[in-house]
Amino acid sequence: MSGVSRRAVVPVLLVLVVAAGVGLYLFQPWKAFTDTSVNEALPTTSQPAAGPAMKDAGPRDLALGGFVSHEHRTNGTARTVRLAGGGQVLRLEDLMTSEGPDVRVYLSRKDADAVKAGLGDGAVQLGKLKGNLGNQNYAVPAGTDLSKFRSAVIWCERFSVSFGAADLAPVRG
């Protein structure tokens, strides 16, 4: 091999190694073959809220709905729950979705079908997805008016796509 072609091969190999590393970081392909199960119990109480004491003796469902799939097959139920003490949680039950890089849980003012195009203004991030399988709870920030949110969303930050979403229909009674 001549000296000129060796000098050309080294930079090309270096670029390929860097590109492969960036691709692995962005796509994290091993997550297509892994699962993380979570099985949290529904909390029954939260720290007492400021103001008048809560009259409810235990958790009360505010809204619920089933997940629909978007970019990844997603099943399960989303519930918003007011806890004794005044705290609020979003509970995901029997969740089944894919793992992915930088997946988060959001509340959106848009309905489940509309979030395919984006979360919309005023969406509230509740945290990183704890696991792609099972039952899990996400604290809703104090002062959040849950009646203004129409869906719970499993959202991939890295690629700005919805894995799936659930319309949150108010529970009567």
Side-chain angles (χ1 to χ4, degrees), residues 101-152:
D102 204 16
V103 181
R104 309 291 173 124
V105 177
Y106 276 87
L107 292 172
S108 175
R109 295 173 190 257
K110 296 169 104 179
D111 66 30
D113 285 334
V115 296
K116 284 191 237 181
L119 290 165
D121 292 338
V124 173
Q125 184 187 138
L126 302 181
K128 283 190 161 202
L129 185 67
K130 296 173 184 177
N132 65 310
L133 302 173
N135 305 307
Q136 46 206 278
N137 306 301
Y138 296 87
V140 175
T144 302
D145 181 356
L146 286 175
S147 69
K148 297 187 186 281
F149 294 93
R150 298 182 62 189
S151 64

Side-chain angles (χ1 to χ4, degrees), residues 68-106:
V68 295
S69 300
H70 290 159
E71 293 297 320
H72 293 263
R73 187 169 175 218
T74 303
N75 296 301
T77 303
R79 297 168 49 198
T80 55
V81 180
R82 180 175 314 280
L83 304 173
Q88 302 176 122
V89 297
L90 173 69
R91 178 160 173 84
L92 307 182
E93 294 180 329
D94 301 319
L95 180 68
M96 292 178 61
T97 192
S98 300
E99 287 207 293
D102 204 16
V103 181
R104 309 291 173 124
V105 177
Y106 276 87

